[in-house]
Amino acid sequence: MDADNINNSLGEARTIAIVAVAQETPISEGAALGERLHCTAEALETRISMTSTRIHKFPHRLLQGIGGADYCNVAPSMVAIGPYHHGRPHLQEMEEVKQAAADRLYGKSGRSVEEVYEKILSVAGDARRCYDDVSVAGLSDAEFATMMFVDASFLVWYLAAHDDKLFPGLVLSSEPNIEKDIFILENQIPWLVLRAIMEITNNNDVWLGDIRSRKEEKKKRWMAQWWRLCFPDPTTGDDDHGRRCEDTDSIIQCYTPAHLLGLLRFSLICRMPPEKRESKFTFGASTPLTTTCRTAFELAQVGIKLAVSKARWFADMNCVKKPLVFGELSLSPLYLTDVTTCWLVNMAALESVEVSTTQSFDKDGYVISSYLSTLAMLMDREEDVQELRRSDVVKTNFTNTETLAFFKGLGKHLRQGINYFNTLAEIDRYMRQRPVTIAVHRFLYNYYRYIIAVMSIVSVVVGIFKALYSLKK
């Protein structure tokens, strides 16, 4: 073959190659893009399917609004549970306590550490998938299983047996911080890990769905004590709310939380009757809300008094008509502390990222958020806070200014649920049905001081005229 033929052959080969590349490159890139989209969609579907068991990060959109000063409601201050905050310097002191607690727990149960560790190792793969991939990427399977073992053992010890006198000074002085930390959204451990340890150590008394009916039992004291301290029980005598619940005991037995924070939320609202947890909006476009009375002071003006709800569940809200002049807005009482503010914030954050955590127990999924939004709505000035405190709906060692700042900062970032809007509808319905009574009450409420002053002056003048008339006679 001569040089010309060779050059012609090479030219034709180059042309064919260029055409082939021009034809194949878009197809190859398109195929790669399609594969990438398909994998992303599958990963998203898998993540969504695991929503009810995932350990979520605190929603970024809520950090500035409800994360608290220095994000005190987002990050633990005393003890790390799980991988998200594991290894932080200020949390290292409790690592020794966690390991000592695990040793004490298994010493009392008669189970060997090896036996329990093997049990944890068998569920570690499922537990690992509950966390954000980036947070566990640097942990080997053995390191992750060890973390789950130590953290879960500490939780079971603390919740079931922490009156054990193990490091009493350290644990007792740090108890408020521990109570706060173990219910932080990012500081959770999958329930399947806790359940594995509870089963093998026979500490099933940690499972406390029906808190109210069992709170007198000393074995089941941990949540009952916190409940009584932070969410006072206003019930006096027998209450038919519990009897109206739809087979509450079976719901409790069937419910499986994703983690302790989910258990806390469920325990607060598990006795809520079906008409509350499965309610629908009671107003529509044909009957829009027209009321402008939202704050505690404005409700007092129109004759709606604030009262403590006697319901046997938390986050109850109900506006009803009362005989004669008054209406009544009853709300579950709240004892506001540093600990309970953290719980409330994290339960609201949980509702915002994981409605399916409720496992169809409540159809709305925003029960706690609705309650907090209603309280935030009622507060516009410090006088409103004082009105809520006067009615015992809110009890707190915070100042009025601090309480107002907390709820106003919280309220504007929460999603209002069905119960919130239904409460507004009940207030609006009360306003529509009693316009004359409300107008009279508003006038008397706003001007009663002047009316009393005028009446006093009139009575004095009448007395003077009577005296003069008597003298004249």
Side-chain angles (χ1 to χ4, degrees):
M1 183 178 293
D2 57 13
D4 291 337
N5 291 332
I6 293 174
N7 290 333
N8 291 335
S9 298
L10 291 175
E12 291 175 359
R14 283 195 293 268
T15 303
I16 293 173
I18 292 172
V19 172
V21 169
Q23 291 176 346
E24 291 178 7
T25 300
I27 297 174
S28 178
E29 290 181 355
L33 177 60
E35 183 65 23
R36 189 162 63 248
L37 294 177
H38 180 69
C39 292
T40 303
E42 284 188 343
L44 180 60
E45 289 174 1
T46 301
R47 191 161 65 248
I48 292 174
S49 67
M50 294 181 61
T51 297
S52 61
T53 59
R54 284 186 65 83
I55 309 299
H56 293 273
K57 290 290 190 74
F58 200 92
H60 187 267
R61 66 184 183 278
L62 300 180
L63 279 176
Q64 297 296 330
I66 67 177
D70 299 324
Y71 302 121
C72 61
N73 294 326
V74 177
S77 59
M78 190 71 191
V79 57
I81 304 295
Y84 290 159
H85 298 278
H86 183 74
R88 296 201 172 187
H90 71 286
L91 304 176
Q92 294 309 298
E93 183 180 6
M94 283 296 293
E95 292 302 313
E96 293 182 356
V97 176
K98 290 194 293 184
Q99 294 179 29
D103 177 72
R104 181 63 60 89
L105 177 67
Y106 302 121
K108 291 183 64 176
S109 67
R111 301 284 188 171
S112 67
V113 171
E114 292 82 4
E115 180 184 3
V116 181
Y117 181 78
E118 289 299 322
K119 180 71 173 179
I120 297 301
L121 199 59
S122 67
V123 300
D126 292 333
R128 191 182 187 107
R129 287 190 287 272
C130 294
Y131 291 100
D132 180 78
D133 294 338
V134 176
S135 301
V136 296
L139 296 172
S140 67
D141 292 341
E143 289 173 333
F144 180 81
T146 300
M147 179 196 301
M148 292 291 101
F149 169 81
V150 173
D151 291 356
S153 299
F154 168 76
L155 283 177
V156 173
W157 169 81
Y158 183 79
L159 300 176
H162 77 278
D163 58 346
D164 204 13
K165 312 303 181 187
L166 176 64
F167 309 119
L170 176 62
V171 174
L172 185 61
S173 63
S174 306
E175 195 161 16
N177 288 330
I178 295 175
E179 291 174 0
K180 178 177 73 69
D181 287 352
I182 64 176
F183 289 111
I184 286 178
L185 180 62
E186 294 186 356
N187 217 33
Q188 298 301 304
I189 198 168
W191 186 257
L192 62 94
V193 178
L194 289 173
R195 184 175 57 194
I197 288 185
M198 287 187 287
E199 289 174 351
I200 203 168
T201 59
N202 295 320
N203 274 302
N204 291 308
D205 58 341
V206 177
W207 173 255
L208 293 180
D210 192 0
I211 299 299
R212 287 291 193 181
S213 65
R214 304 177 186 176
K215 69 180 182 180
E216 290 79 16
E217 297 180 32
K218 293 182 180 179
K219 291 183 180 179
K220 301 174 175 62
R221 63 192 172 282
W222 65 274
M223 185 74 81
Q225 288 178 349
W226 294 345
W227 179 292
R228 287 198 300 271
L229 288 173
C230 302
F231 302 98
D233 182 4
T235 307
T236 55
D238 292 331
D239 191 350
D240 66 342
H241 286 300
R243 291 189 292 272
R244 292 193 293 111
C245 291
E246 181 186 58
D247 199 8
T248 304
D249 291 336
S250 65
I251 292 174
I252 292 169
Q253 294 299 322
C254 295
Y255 180 79
T256 301
H259 38 62
L260 280 179
L261 180 62
L263 174 60
L264 174 63
R265 179 183 180 276
F266 175 78
S267 68
L268 292 175
I269 64 175
C270 64
R271 286 193 171 274
M272 181 174 287
E275 60 268 25
K276 281 285 187 179
R277 67 172 186 262
E278 298 178 4
S279 59
K280 298 180 180 180
F281 291 112
T282 58
F283 65 94
S286 59
T287 57
L289 295 176
T290 59
T291 180
T292 58
C293 295
R294 301 291 176 85
T295 68
F297 176 76
E298 291 170 340
L299 293 181
Q301 281 184 315
V302 300
I304 299 179
K305 297 191 299 182
L306 296 175
V308 171
S309 170
K310 293 181 172 57
R312 299 176 64 194
W313 62 88
F314 184 63
D316 182 62
M317 302 179 290
N318 194 30
C319 184
V320 296
K321 293 187 295 184
K322 288 292 183 177
L324 301 178
V325 176
F326 296 109
E328 180 180 275
L329 175 60
S330 60
L331 299 153
S332 293
L334 175 66
Y335 184 35
L336 203 62
T337 66
D338 288 331
V339 175
T340 54
T341 55
C342 180
W343 293 356
L344 293 167
V345 163
N346 281 276
M347 284 190 287
L350 175 65
E351 289 183 341
S352 73
V353 297
E354 190 179 327
V355 175
S356 60
T357 296
T358 59
Q359 296 182 344
S360 300
F361 171 71
D362 59 305
K363 302 301 183 183
D364 180 23
Y366 295 98
V367 174
I368 304 297
S369 298
S370 288
Y371 173 80
L372 295 176
S373 296
T374 301
L375 286 178
M377 174 195 73
L378 293 172
M379 301 181 196
D380 192 44
R381 303 177 301 172
E382 292 186 19
E383 290 80 358
D384 297 317
V385 179
Q386 189 59 39
E387 188 69 28
L388 286 161
R389 298 178 75 162
R390 187 182 298 114
S391 62
D392 289 333
V393 171
V394 174
K395 294 183 179 181
T396 179
N397 54 5
F398 296 170
T399 65
N400 289 348
T401 302
E402 291 171 335
T403 305
L404 179 64
F406 169 73
F407 277 103
K408 297 313 289 183
L410 187 68
K412 62 185 179 182
H413 294 280
L414 297 179
R415 173 171 172 174
Q416 296 88 10
I418 293 174
N419 287 332
Y420 169 82
F421 289 106
N422 284 347
T423 301
L424 291 187
E426 290 171 355
I427 296 172
D428 188 70
R429 194 175 300 114
Y430 171 86
M431 301 276 295
R432 291 173 184 269
Q433 292 175 351
R434 297 188 172 188
V436 176
T437 303
I438 287 173
V440 173
H441 187 278
R442 192 197 300 270
F443 177 81
L444 294 176
Y445 186 90
N446 290 332
Y447 299 105
Y448 75 94
R449 294 184 180 86
Y450 302 106
I451 294 172
I452 292 174
V454 170
M455 292 179 64
S456 300
I457 294 172
V458 169
S459 63
V460 171
V461 171
V462 170
I464 292 173
F465 275 108
K466 285 183 177 181
L468 293 174
Y469 182 73
S470 298
L471 290 175
K472 183 176 180 180
K473 292 183 63 176

